Amino acid sequence: MITTFAAALNAGLRRALEDDPKVVLMGEDIGHLGGVFRVTDTLQKDFGDNRVIDTPLAESGIIGTAFGMALRGYRPVCEIQFDGFVYPAFDQIVSHVAKIHYRTAGKVIAPLTIRIPFGGGIGSVEHHSESPEAYFAHTAGLRVVTPSNPADAYLMIRQAIALDDPVIFFEPKRRYWDKADVDFATIDELPLDKARVCVSGTDATVVAYGGTVATAMSAAKIAAEEGHSLEVIDLRSLSPIDFDTIEESVAKTGRLVVAHEAPVFAGLGAEIAARITERCFYQLEAPVLRVGGFDIPYPPAKLEKYHLPDPDRILAAVDRSLAA
């Protein structure tokens, strides 16, 4: 079945609501409107406004309320309308949601999923195209994940909701309209914390996540036409990170390029570069290289194409690695 990324998320949320009466959706305009990106379209009509709840425009209140509900046995799924809107809720997430399991010596769980459209590529205004994943990946007690395609969107949202851990679920907004053939009956049940090898290769490894995975795969296709074989890994989980899959790939290729939309400085690529350098020091044929956004506030819509990694920038890094 040909399905968009957004429709796959909708199907996953619908399945979660059907499977567990304790699953509740909350967010700004998610009910009657169906969400800004229509991810929750028709769900309030089908499940009622006591399970798909339109909230006030108050992110701290959304997360605080959902946290209390999670402590009472519900499984809330909150939608933060845009990535830049999550900051008013940041204190609730890092001070309370992330710490309750540790604070109670494991006696209390918080099965709370927080959906956040993130990244650029749609020509939005300020506060609508950010990449805050490193803030949350740095916080112990949170799982941080991001699908890159419709099949994983359907699978991973259900896995996240079923977990007893709080999950930050980043959705690459520029991929909402990407389409793929998804067989919902036989979908690959890869564990939530496992990376996926999307393209096998031998010359260099490219690790990406979220919206940049499709960019990396385009780069691999161009490289193949030029006689180079790139292995592309979709990270999927940003905390924890599946370093074993990356290490296995780098042991084969001897080279690693990490690509993401967030600025390179102190981004996820830095952690991956450091860990793989430690674990694969004798297998690496060149330094680990990073390709990402620039260390600037997110640029205006007319300039974002220069800010986001594209296949040319990834391939330039691959060329530097191969020349080392």
Side-chain angles (χ1 to χ4, degrees):
M1 178 179 178
I2 302 299
T3 305
T4 66
F5 192 109
L9 281 171
N10 181 282
L13 291 168
R14 177 178 294 277
R15 178 70 180 274
L17 287 162
E18 292 171 343
D19 289 349
D20 188 345
K22 292 294 188 180
V23 172
V24 177
L25 310 188
M26 305 171 61
E28 300 163 4
D29 298 320
I30 70 165
H32 179 71
L33 180 66
V36 170
F37 297 102
R38 304 301 186 267
V39 170
T40 53
D41 194 32
T42 73
L43 295 181
Q44 188 181 71
K45 176 176 70 71
D46 294 340
F47 293 93
D49 58 10
N50 62 333
R51 300 208 47 207
V52 182
I53 304 166
D54 281 313
T55 67
L57 306 183
E59 286 76 17
S60 182
I62 294 170
I63 301 302
T65 302
F67 180 51
M69 293 176 70
L71 298 184
R72 298 292 293 176
Y74 289 88
R75 292 185 177 272
V77 183
C78 299
E79 177 182 299
I80 301 297
Q81 205 167 68
F82 282 91
D83 34 31
F85 298 175
V86 74
Y87 301 119
F90 191 76
D91 179 48
Q92 292 280 4
I93 295 170
V94 303
S95 298
H96 302 292
V97 174
K99 292 180 170 57
I100 191 65
H101 192 71
Y102 177 79
R103 183 181 293 141
T104 62
K107 294 182 176 64
V108 177
I109 60 172
L112 169 60
T113 302
I114 303 171
R115 297 179 40 242
I116 307 175
F118 86 124
I122 64 168
S124 289
V125 296
E126 188 180 21
H127 305 309
H128 290 67
S129 298
E130 311 216 355
S131 296
E133 60 269 24
Y135 295 129
F136 298 103
H138 184 73
T139 303
L142 299 175
R143 287 179 181 256
V144 184
V145 302
T146 177
S148 68
N149 59 77
D152 267 353
Y154 174 74
L155 169 66
M156 292 170 67
I157 191 62
R158 291 174 52 214
Q159 290 174 321
I161 295 169
L163 278 178
D164 287 339
D165 298 327
V167 180
I168 307 296
F169 194 92
F170 282 110
E171 301 167 7
K173 63 175 78 77
R174 63 173 164 149
R175 302 300 175 200
Y176 275 138
W177 302 276
D178 285 5
K179 295 181 179 180
D181 190 3
V182 179
D183 184 348
F184 293 107
T186 60
I187 202 161
D188 179 12
E189 296 279 345
L190 190 67
L192 187 61
D193 58 356
K194 290 290 291 181
R196 186 191 304 276
V197 178
C198 301
V199 178
S200 296
T202 56
D203 293 338
T205 301
V206 179
V207 169
Y209 59 82
T212 313
V213 173
T215 309
M217 293 177 69
S218 295
K221 184 177 180 179
I222 296 170
E225 294 169 355
E226 298 174 350
H228 296 306
S229 174
L230 303 185
E231 182 147 297
V232 178
I233 295 177
D234 178 358
L235 206 55
R236 300 176 76 249
S237 176
L238 311 185
S239 181
I241 291 175
D242 179 10
F243 287 110
D244 290 344
T245 295
I246 304 173
E247 180 179 355
E248 182 179 350
S249 177
V250 172
K252 176 176 62 174
T253 67
R255 292 173 168 81
L256 175 61
V257 173
V258 185
H260 52 61
E261 291 187 25
V264 168
F265 180 77
L268 264 291
E271 177 64 25
I272 296 169
R275 291 293 184 103
I276 293 302
T277 298
E278 291 174 359
R279 296 174 64 156
C280 301
F281 184 79
Y282 293 105
Q283 287 80 36
L284 283 167
E285 301 290 341
V288 179
L289 300 178
R290 294 169 290 159
V291 180
F294 300 107
D295 298 328
I296 58 173
Y298 199 86
K302 290 183 179 180
L303 298 176
E304 71 175 358
K305 67 180 180 180
Y306 303 106
H307 179 73
L308 298 173
D310 60 13
D312 286 343
R313 287 176 61 194
I314 292 174
L315 290 171
V318 170
D319 287 344
R320 285 169 54 204
S321 181
L322 293 172

